[in-house]
Amino acid sequence: MKFIRNKLILFAFLALLFQGCEEPIREDPFVGIGASRWDVGKSANFLLSDDRFTALELEIVYMEGFKPTSFMVSEMRDFLQELTLKPEGIRVTEREIPAEGEEFYTTDKIAELENRYRESYNDGNTVSVFLLVVDGFFMQNEEEYFTIGAAYRNTSMVLFGKRIAENSGGFRKPGRGNLEATVALHELGHLLGLVNIGTEMVTPHEDTDQDREFHCDNADCLMYWAVETSNVLNFMQNSVPELDENCRNDLRANGGR
Ligand SMILES: [Zn+2]
Ligand SMILES: [Zn+2]
C-alpha cells in the first residue's frame, strides 16, 4: 500500500513537471531571421564583443561570374579576427547563386534576394553576417559618383560586382582584389557601428558634412565617405586603407579588440 502511494505521488510530480513544459517558450529576440532585420549598426556590439556571441559566421553569396577574389575573403577574415572578440572562431562560407541578369538593383530587390538565398542567421553562440555580390549596378546612384558597395541591414551588405569589374584591373586602375577588399571592409566597418551608427564615438570624428554622415573625417581612414563610391578610385593606393586611431578606439570601447 505504501509503495502505491509513493508511486501516485511520483505521478503527480511528473504531471506537474510536464505542465511546466507546456508554458510557451519565450523566443530569443537575438537569433533567427527576425534578428537580421534591424538597421545598420544595431548589431555592432554583438559582432564586436563576446558578451552574447562567441563565434562569427560570414556567409558570402555571389552571382555566377562574380566570385570574389580570395584576397578579399582573407582580408575580411583578418579584419574580423583583428577587431572582434570571438574566442570560438570566425567561419567563412562561400556559395554561388544564379545570375539575375539585371542591370540595376534596388534596395527592395536586394532584400528580396537575401530572403531567398541567405541560409545563415544568428544561432546559439554564433552571430552571422551576410554578403551578397550581385551582377549589376545600384539603382540609387548619386549624380556625381556611383556606389560600389553598401551595408543595408544590421548584418547584411552588398557589393555591386559590375562596378568592381569595370573599375579595376587594367591601365591606371586598382587591382580587383584591392578595390573589392577595400569596399568590403568599409561596409563591414558600418556593420561594426562606424562611424557613430551603433558604436559611440570616444572622440568626435564623424564627418560634419550632412551628405557624409556615418563616415570618418580622416581622408586616410578606411571609413572615409569616398571609400564606397567611385571617388575611391582617385586616391586608392596599392593597399587597403586602414582604420585610423579614432575608429579603432570606438570599436574597442564597444567591446571589440
Ligand atoms: Zn560608407
Ligand atoms: Zn576613421
Side-chain angles (χ1 to χ4, degrees), residues 15-117:
L16 269 176
L17 256 185
F18 282 119
Q19 226 172 17
C21 288
E22 277 170 25
E23 262 182 41
I25 298 161
R26 252 185 222 111
E27 275 198 24
D28 184 342
F30 304 134
V31 298
I33 294 179
S36 70
R37 298 287 159 80
W38 308 343
D39 291 337
V40 173
K42 289 281 190 287
S43 285
N45 178 259
F46 287 159
L47 293 166
L48 286 165
S49 77
D50 64 350
D51 293 343
R52 176 62 182 78
F53 295 100
T54 49
L56 188 149
E57 181 165 271
L58 169 63
E59 182 185 21
I60 301 172
V61 170
Y62 57 91
M63 290 189 183
E64 198 188 333
F66 292 87
K67 182 179 168 61
T69 55
S70 55
F71 178 72
M72 183 204 87
V73 177
S74 67
E75 285 288 296
M76 288 184 86
R77 188 198 300 269
D78 292 351
F79 187 75
L80 289 166
Q81 232 138 28
E82 195 187 316
L83 302 171
T84 70
L85 212 53
K86 299 297 167 196
E88 290 183 74
I90 289 158
R91 204 167 86 91
V92 182
T93 67
E94 277 183 84
R95 201 168 72 252
E96 184 179 285
I97 57 170
E100 287 285 304
E102 306 225 356
E103 186 77 357
F104 294 103
Y105 286 84
T106 60
T107 34
D108 281 354
K109 176 70 181 182
I110 292 161
E112 190 248 300
L113 287 165
E114 174 177 356
N115 297 346
R116 206 189 313 162
Y117 292 112

Side-chain angles (χ1 to χ4, degrees), residues 52-233:
R52 176 62 182 78
F53 295 100
T54 49
L56 188 149
E57 181 165 271
L58 169 63
E59 182 185 21
I60 301 172
V61 170
Y62 57 91
M63 290 189 183
E64 198 188 333
F66 292 87
K67 182 179 168 61
T69 55
S70 55
F71 178 72
M72 183 204 87
V73 177
S74 67
E75 285 288 296
M76 288 184 86
R77 188 198 300 269
D78 292 351
F79 187 75
L80 289 166
Q81 232 138 28
E82 195 187 316
L83 302 171
T84 70
L85 212 53
K86 299 297 167 196
E88 290 183 74
I90 289 158
R91 204 167 86 91
V92 182
T93 67
E94 277 183 84
R95 201 168 72 252
E96 184 179 285
I97 57 170
E100 287 285 304
E102 306 225 356
E103 186 77 357
F104 294 103
Y105 286 84
T106 60
T107 34
D108 281 354
K109 176 70 181 182
I110 292 161
E112 190 248 300
L113 287 165
E114 174 177 356
N115 297 346
R116 206 189 313 162
Y117 292 112
R118 181 169 180 171
E119 288 177 359
S120 174
Y121 294 95
N122 296 358
D123 184 31
N125 295 328
T126 304
V127 66
S128 175
V129 172
F130 178 74
L131 166 62
L132 176 68
V133 185
V134 298
D135 60 350
F137 305 114
F138 190 40
M139 187 63 105
Q140 283 97 321
N141 281 311
E142 306 291 324
E143 276 165 29
E144 70 273 44
Y145 58 83
F146 51 78
T147 302
I148 302 173
Y152 61 97
R153 280 175 180 162
N154 57 326
T155 60
S156 312
M157 47 191 276
V158 61
L159 292 181
F160 299 96
K162 231 172 185 170
R163 278 288 178 232
I164 292 166
E166 73 174 17
N167 290 292
S168 61
F171 187 59
R172 284 190 173 175
K173 286 177 180 172
R176 182 167 151 224
N178 249 335
L179 178 59
E180 202 170 56
T182 297
V183 179
L185 296 195
H186 176 97
E187 303 314 332
L188 259 185
H190 284 314
L191 298 188
L192 298 181
L194 296 173
V195 169
N196 199 20
I197 180 169
T199 289
E200 275 182 38
M201 295 184 288
V202 176
T203 305
H205 63 106
E206 184 180 7
D207 201 318
T208 47
D209 187 320
Q210 57 168 357
D211 295 331
R212 304 176 180 181
E213 59 178 351
F214 310 132
H215 289 104
C216 187
D217 58 9
N218 179 356
D220 294 326
C221 178
L222 175 70
M223 296 315 292
Y224 191 57
W225 70 279
V227 168
E228 67 197 342
T229 72
S230 48
N231 288 281
V232 70
L233 303 167

